[in-house]
């Protein structure tokens, strides 16, 4: 009906979501029983996110997308746990890691696609920069840095409108769990700020690696 070309993809995504959430619902209690299983599950999430992002961007290997995703997620997650802002328990770490990995995956995909598309579409400008004496990295950054930075817009909008347009899942979940509205708000604020940090690092790393010629289609 809409002729957007995404009808089959939407259907497949919905079916996959049902199946995957069903499996996770069955195993989540066992996963949270120990740090070993929690760490393994986080590893699976990280791998799936890397493969998904690499395919969307057009990278031939998932390891290329895993670099910016990992830099953003594990740096921020380690900082949160190390400073004890986030309790060092599987119940707290696992869902937080999932949220951060999902955000980093989206940011990496959007930044990678925008950066490579811009470099392709504005190849003449890139070559003009080289002719003027720019290095390959600097010429590429002049073309793709600002367009790729637009990948942060969804996270910025979510943070700016929180509580006015949406009531995010972390806030509602903590509130329904019996915490006070202040505690729920503090938890959601922590998640939003962490997401901004994760996505900023992921986007910056993606752009830098593309500009250096490390990541390409």
């Amino acid at each position: 009906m809409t002729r957007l070309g995404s009808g089959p993809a939407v259907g497949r995504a919905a079916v996959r979501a049902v199946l995957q959430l069903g499996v996770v619902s069955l195993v989540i209690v066992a996963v949270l029983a120990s740090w070993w299983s929690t760490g393994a599950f986080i590893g699976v999430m990280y791998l799936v996110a890397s493969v998904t992002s690499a395919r969307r961007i057009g990278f031939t290997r998932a390891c290329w997308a895993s670099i910016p995703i990992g830099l953003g997620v594990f740096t921020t997650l380690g900082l949160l746990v190390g400073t004890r802002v986030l309790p060092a328990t599987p119940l707290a770490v696992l869902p937080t890691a999932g949220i951060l990995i999902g955000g980093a995956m989206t940011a990496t995909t959007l930044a990678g696609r925008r950066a490579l598309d811009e470099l392709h579409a504005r190849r003449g400008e890139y070559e003009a920069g080289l002719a003027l004496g720019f290095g390959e990295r600097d010429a590429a950054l002049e073309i793709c840095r600002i367009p790729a930075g637009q990948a942060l817009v969804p996270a910025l909008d979510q943070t700016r409108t929180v509580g006015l347009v949406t009531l995010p899942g972390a806030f509602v979940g903590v509130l329904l769990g019996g915490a006070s509205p202040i505690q729920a708000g503090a938890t959601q604020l922590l998640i939003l700020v962490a997401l901004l940090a994760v996505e900023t690092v992921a986007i910056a790393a993606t752009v830098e690696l593309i500009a250096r010629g490390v990541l390409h289609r």
Side-chain angles (χ1 to χ4, degrees), residues 1-20 56:
M1 292 291 290
T2 60
R3 297 182 181 179
L4 297 177
S6 57
V10 171
R12 288 194 298 269
V15 172
R16 285 188 59 173
V18 171
L19 296 175
Q20 289 164 189
R56 287 295 186 188

Side-chain angles (χ1 to χ4, degrees), residues 106-121:
T106 301
T108 298
T109 299
L110 293 176
R113 288 174 67 93
R114 288 297 303 274
L116 291 171
D117 287 347
E118 285 293 314
L119 285 173
H120 177 72

Side-chain angles (χ1 to χ4, degrees), residues 3-189:
R3 297 182 181 179
L4 297 177
S6 57
V10 171
R12 288 194 298 269
V15 172
R16 285 188 59 173
V18 171
L19 296 175
Q20 289 164 189
L21 286 174
V23 173
V24 170
S25 299
L26 294 175
V27 304
I28 193 65
V29 174
V31 168
L32 293 172
S34 70
W35 273 112
W36 290 107
S37 55
T38 299
F41 198 80
I42 291 174
V44 171
M45 290 192 293
Y46 177 46
L47 176 61
V48 173
S50 299
V51 171
T52 301
S53 185
R55 286 178 176 174
R56 287 295 186 188
I57 297 172
F59 296 155
T60 55
R61 296 181 181 179
C63 61
W64 297 136
S66 70
I67 297 172
I69 293 175
L71 282 175
V73 170
F74 296 116
T75 300
T76 303
L77 192 62
L79 183 62
L80 292 176
V81 174
T83 56
R84 299 184 180 180
V85 174
L86 183 70
T89 63
L91 186 60
V93 171
L94 181 60
T96 303
I99 293 171
L100 298 184
I101 290 172
M105 176 186 69
T106 301
T108 298
T109 299
L110 293 176
R113 288 174 67 93
R114 288 297 303 274
L116 291 171
D117 287 347
E118 285 293 314
L119 285 173
H120 177 72
R122 299 166 63 184
R123 182 72 184 180
E125 294 178 48
Y126 170 74
E127 293 177 350
L130 295 178
L132 290 172
F134 283 81
E136 292 183 1
R137 171 183 175 273
D138 293 332
L141 287 176
E142 286 295 319
I143 299 298
C144 70
R145 179 162 41 198
I146 293 179
Q150 298 300 308
L152 196 61
V153 168
L156 288 171
D157 286 347
Q158 183 183 24
T159 303
R160 288 169 177 161
T161 61
V162 64
L164 298 176
V165 177
T166 62
L167 292 177
F171 176 85
V172 176
V174 172
L175 198 62
L176 293 176
S180 69
I182 298 298
Q183 291 173 317
T187 301
Q188 184 60 60
L189 180 61

